[in-house]
Amino acid sequence: MTSHRIFTTRFASVYPLYIAKAEKKGRTSAEVDQIIGWLTGYSQAELAAQVASQADFQRFFAQAPRPNPARATITGKVCGVRIEDLDDPLMREIRYLDKLIDELAKGRPMEKILRH
């Protein structure tokens, strides 16, 4: 998938996949929402509005009310690429979220996922 296609992909189309991935491993949609809230600052109502509006990833992250400064501590590989090596800021934000959902699905405790 090219970068352009990822950026124009609707967050609402990927959000259920995040939930399905978590639930398949015994985690909950509430935990997915907690992760998204931690990363972006979206409240539950604001997140629901973003999903309902069919926002693409670019708009979803651009409108994030309070991006968590601790997100810069998220490191590692997603799809074989080191997050910290990504030059494109939007791609980095997307991969931060992917990494956190991966950690959730792997059973990592929430306090570690949320970098407490």
Side-chain angles (χ1 to χ4, degrees), residues 10 21 23 28 34 36 52 69 75-76 90 92-93 97:
R10 300 203 181 279
K21 183 174 188 171
E23 288 178 341
T28 67
Q34 183 180 359
I36 294 169
T75 59
L90 178 57
R92 192 176 317 113
E93 295 294 333
L97 180 53

Side-chain angles (χ1 to χ4, degrees), residues 4-25:
H4 179 4
R5 281 189 54 200
I6 289 173
F7 299 158
T8 60
T9 297
R10 300 203 181 279
F11 174 78
S13 68
V14 178
Y15 177 69
L17 301 176
Y18 290 143
I19 292 173
K21 183 174 188 171
E23 288 178 341
K24 182 178 173 184
K25 297 294 186 167

Side-chain angles (χ1 to χ4, degrees), residues 15 17-22 25 27-28 31-33 35-36 94-107 113:
Y15 177 69
L17 301 176
Y18 290 143
I19 292 173
K21 183 174 188 171
K25 297 294 186 167
R27 304 305 289 259
T28 67
E31 289 175 306
V32 171
D33 292 352
I35 286 169
I36 294 169
I94 293 167
R95 294 307 184 199
Y96 285 155
L97 180 53
D98 291 344
K99 180 71 173 173
L100 296 178
I101 299 299
D102 285 351
E103 290 177 0
L104 180 69
K106 289 178 181 174
I113 295 170

Side-chain angles (χ1 to χ4, degrees), residues 32-64:
V32 171
D33 292 352
Q34 183 180 359
I35 286 169
I36 294 169
W38 178 88
L39 183 66
T40 62
Y42 283 117
S43 68
Q44 190 63 46
E46 291 166 329
L47 175 58
Q50 284 290 324
V51 172
S53 75
Q54 296 291 310
D56 59 30
F57 272 106
Q58 189 164 8
R59 190 172 93 202
F60 177 78
F61 283 109
Q63 293 179 347

